[in-house]
Amino acid sequence: MIYYATQRFLLSVLIVIVAISLLTLMLHVVPGDPATMILGPRATPELIEQTRVAMGLDQPLPVQIVKFFGRILHGDLGTDVFTGRAVSDIVFEQLPYTLVLIAVSILWSSVLGIVLGCYSALRAGTWLDTLSGILSVGTISIPAFVMALYAVLIFAVSLGWLPAIGAGEGFFDSAMHLILPAFAIGISWVGYIARMVRASMLEVMGAPHVRMARSFGLTEARIVRAYILRIAVQPAVTLLGTGVAHLFSAAVFVEVIFARPGIGALIVSSVNERNYPIILGAVLVTTAIIVLATLLSDLTVALLDPRQREAL
Amino acid sequence: MSQAQATVSLPEPTVISRILRGLAGNRTGTIGFVLVVLILAAAIFAPWISQYDPAAIMTGPRMAPPSSDHWLGTDNLGRDLFSRVLAGGRVAMLVAGASLGAALSLGLVLGLVAGLGPRWLDNLLLLLFDALRSFPTIVFGLAVVTLVGPSLFTVILVVAITSVPIYARIIRTQAQSLRNAEFVMAERAMGAGLPRILFVHVLPNVLGPLLILASMDVPLVIATEAGLSFLGMGVRPPTSSWGVILNDGYNFIRNSPWPVIAGSVPIVLVTLGFTFLGEALRDIFDPRLQKAN
């Protein structure tokens, strides 16, 4: 297990390094000079030169990339050209909002999804199974940002039950402001997870080791918990790990639609002012989190199922 | 005479008749097929279906609910929403076709190189695919938009780049398993070269699942296009797009729900249509997968 974990960890570090190199390369492959891009067409040549030196753009490309890595290792993501603040400060100020939003969305949708999928598999063919099947297909086909628009339309505009703007202050208010955004992001995952858990439960329920456990006279509840679910949740765990990238994409829209602070809103506003250092920093941090999440889900699966440890 | 007719051999069932027969026996498949045909027809014949110019700002009622004049109502500038939805459908189908076409061809080449090439190249490409996959599509798209500016082409580029790894990985796995398949080894033993193995054995076996996957990816592409356009980072106004319609609708969401409804229903219909069709096609061509589900 330790060998497998080290191997996976090193691979993840490598992936992040390649991703960062791709991003910095992209910045240089594209025609146009980042300094001119930020300052706009009316900047004086002196100002452009000054910004180029400040951003380190006057040095050769390999030097720039190596220096960039060096700075990242020191936790320095560069400086925001407009305010002069450290990019890492700005990004980590916004990050908690997004992480809380994503965590709450994952939590409610995976708990409901696993329970629903479990129940549908154990009672396959009943009206609740059919209903959850129809609901799954229906919700999966609606993108998160469309769902967010309808959430605003129905619960905030028409009914006026829940707030639709901002993140709120204090615990209770923040929680109220979190309901609609977390609903919009999570709802399609309920369907996904339920369908996946149902399919893999049905598969595992016929496995020899389950019949064995039943022949030993174990109670049905214990069989489900200790022998079926343990294997049946694996595809869902993998899905969630790779799905964190989709969750971040969804969070971008949801933060814009609900006017919430967060890393998605930060990126969108930075695109509008063409503030490339902030975008680069924000993309780096999200990518690192996504790779970490994939790593964690792989390790969780390996913990649940020793057979997976050999596969890499 | 009648005897002569009786001996005429029946034409072998073609791929198309196999598909149609398979779809006819599958309820959701039929629904998906009908939806996809309707959507494609609406996109192709859009200018002839609606009498209004999708970009024309009219002096008539603004934010009007659906009526016999304007089937889906009008938006905040008095533009006819039905013709805007049709025009947006054209954009969506164009983006889907162009970006999936590019992603498929590039993925095919890279996947074959990774699957059949030397080991170090395979590892390098896999690393590259994993790195590309770890960017969230929309976030990556926004970074690209900052560099090259928002346009229809940017959307196509973003979708193509982010989908290449998915196709390339699948082709790589298929090519590797085919490389060691007995019938390919037999061919090689008989002296067949790489081109023959590639074009006669590997490609036909890989193409089917790939096209099915692509049809199931159409909804994802369209959601990305609509999403970027919604943020104002994709298709630019006055060009219509479902995302642009939704953005207008969002800005006036307290005045009228109709623009949001008009922009979102087509997205949901496209998703349902292509998903159902893709699932049905998968069942027709790969009965093994059907059993697994």
Side-chain angles (χ1 to χ4, degrees):
Chain A
M1 182 69 201
I2 291 170
Y3 177 68
Y4 174 82
T6 328
Q7 223 179 359
R8 286 290 295 121
F9 177 74
L10 288 178
L11 189 66
S12 305
V13 172
L14 210 57
I15 289 173
V16 173
I17 291 176
V18 173
I20 294 173
S21 312
L22 278 179
L23 272 179
T24 34
L25 263 180
M26 201 170 80
L27 185 61
H28 293 278
V29 165
V30 168
D33 172 54
T36 327
M37 207 173 69
I38 289 165
L39 295 170
R42 289 194 300 174
T44 60
E46 291 80 37
L47 191 60
I48 290 176
E49 197 46 44
Q50 205 182 329
T51 316
R52 279 177 60 86
V53 174
M55 290 172 79
L57 292 170
D58 51 336
Q59 289 154 338
L61 181 58
V63 177
Q64 280 186 44
I65 292 183
V66 170
K67 277 201 170 167
F68 190 63
F69 276 112
R71 282 194 322 192
I72 291 172
L73 283 179
H74 288 104
D76 175 10
L77 295 174
T79 318
D80 174 16
V81 204
F82 292 114
T83 60
R85 291 179 64 203
V87 170
S88 51
D89 285 355
I90 301 178
V91 169
F92 284 110
E93 202 175 86
Q94 300 294 324
L95 192 60
Y97 292 104
T98 306
L99 288 184
V100 166
L101 176 62
I102 289 179
V104 171
S105 309
I106 290 187
L107 207 68
W108 86 263
S109 57
S110 53
V111 168
L112 188 60
I114 290 173
V115 169
L116 215 60
C118 216
Y119 190 87
S120 310
L122 293 175
R123 305 264 188 284
T126 57
W127 65 269
L128 200 102
D129 177 30
T130 319
L131 184 75
S132 101
I134 294 171
L135 275 181
S136 301
V137 176
T139 51
I140 290 169
S141 9
I142 305 176
F145 77 101
V146 173
M147 196 55 102
L149 286 175
Y150 275 98
V152 172
L153 198 60
I154 294 170
F155 294 107
V157 176
S158 299
L159 298 171
W161 285 353
L162 289 162
I165 290 187
E169 277 166 16
F171 182 77
F172 181 73
D173 196 29
S174 304
M176 292 302 280
H177 279 83
L178 206 55
I179 295 177
L180 285 184
F183 169 79
I185 293 181
I187 186 79
S188 64
W189 288 91
V190 176
Y192 257 127
I193 294 169
R195 262 168 70 119
M196 199 157 253
V197 169
R198 177 182 184 275
S200 51
M201 282 254 323
L202 285 176
E203 208 178 305
V204 179
M205 268 155 70
H209 80 275
V210 172
R211 265 183 300 167
M212 186 73 171
R214 196 162 287 141
S215 74
F216 279 168
L218 297 181
T219 58
E220 200 61 28
R222 188 172 156 72
I223 293 174
V224 170
R225 259 184 292 129
Y227 296 97
I228 300 180
L229 210 53
R230 187 182 166 117
I231 297 175
V233 293
Q234 282 171 24
V237 173
T238 311
L239 178 81
L240 274 177
T242 50
V244 171
H246 293 283
L247 286 167
F248 266 102
S249 286
V252 172
F253 294 115
V254 165
E255 283 169 9
V256 169
I257 289 171
F258 291 96
R260 288 174 65 82
I263 205 153
L266 176 72
I267 292 175
V268 171
S269 68
S270 305
V271 172
N272 283 327
E273 50 192 29
R274 297 196 292 186
N275 196 339
Y276 208 79
I278 290 200
I279 296 174
L280 203 59
V283 175
L284 281 187
V285 172
T286 43
T287 306
I289 293 173
I290 288 164
V291 173
L292 186 72
T294 316
L295 175 69
L296 281 181
S297 81
D298 282 355
L299 292 182
T300 312
V301 170
L303 264 181
L304 287 170
D305 187 350
R307 288 171 302 179
Q308 303 287 335
R309 284 170 211 170
E310 283 135 36
L312 182 73
Chain B
M1 266 309 269
S2 63
Q3 198 127 32
Q5 269 179 342
T7 52
V8 169
S9 62
L10 284 166
E12 259 187 64
T14 60
V15 180
I16 293 174
S17 75
R18 199 172 135 206
I19 291 176
L20 289 180
R21 213 168 298 161
L23 283 177
N26 181 334
R27 193 160 37 138
T28 53
T30 316
I31 297 174
F33 180 72
V34 171
L35 273 176
V36 169
V37 168
L38 282 178
I39 290 161
L40 287 177
I44 293 167
F45 300 111
W48 294 279
I49 296 175
S50 171
Q51 47 175 326
Y52 299 103
D53 176 355
I57 297 170
M58 285 181 283
T59 49
R62 294 178 174 198
M63 319 289 304
S67 64
S68 55
D69 277 346
H70 301 282
W71 292 358
L72 291 175
T74 57
D75 72 357
N76 52 306
L77 294 174
R79 293 174 295 196
D80 178 52
L81 274 172
F82 182 62
S83 52
R84 284 184 71 69
V85 165
L86 287 177
R90 291 193 119 179
V91 170
M93 291 304 139
L94 178 73
V95 170
S99 57
L100 284 178
L104 268 178
S105 9
L106 197 60
L108 196 63
V109 174
L110 288 179
L112 287 176
V113 169
L116 304 175
R119 185 72 195 266
W120 63 269
L121 196 60
D122 182 29
N123 285 334
L124 190 75
L125 283 171
L126 274 185
L127 199 63
L128 198 68
F129 299 155
D130 278 346
L132 273 178
R133 249 186 358 169
S134 60
F135 297 127
T137 313
I138 292 295
V139 173
F140 177 74
L142 291 174
V144 175
V145 167
T146 325
L147 287 173
V148 298
S151 70
L152 190 63
F153 176 73
T154 314
V155 177
I156 294 173
L157 186 77
V158 167
V159 175
I161 293 179
T162 48
S163 335
V164 164
I166 307 168
Y167 297 115
R169 263 181 166 272
I170 287 162
I171 294 163
R172 172 188 167 271
T173 319
Q174 291 263 350
Q176 269 180 344
S177 68
L178 281 172
R179 179 166 71 170
N180 299 325
E182 273 170 13
F183 73 97
V184 173
M185 291 217 266
E187 268 276 306
R188 213 187 293 163
M190 287 191 287
L194 187 66
R196 183 178 160 80
I197 291 174
L198 207 61
F199 288 107
V200 178
H201 297 298
V202 177
L203 272 185
N205 274 308
V206 158
L207 227 49
L210 211 60
L211 288 176
I212 293 166
L213 195 76
S215 98
M216 292 173 93
D217 261 357
V218 170
L220 216 62
V221 172
I222 284 171
T224 308
E225 183 269 311
L228 281 173
S229 303
F230 173 79
L231 294 173
M233 314 286 176
V235 178
R236 304 293 293 163
T239 308
S240 180
S241 145
W242 295 337
V244 174
I245 298 172
L246 283 173
N247 189 23
D248 291 341
Y250 169 65
N251 290 330
F252 293 90
I253 202 165
R254 289 182 192 275
N255 304 61
S256 161
W258 294 107
V260 169
I261 294 170
S264 59
V265 169
I267 297 180
V268 175
L269 288 182
V270 164
T271 309
L272 285 178
F274 278 95
T275 310
F276 285 162
L277 183 66
E279 275 177 2
L281 287 177
R282 190 186 58 194
D283 292 350
I284 294 168
F285 284 107
D286 201 346
R288 277 169 307 167
L289 286 171
Q290 191 178 22
K291 226 176 274 170
N293 275 338

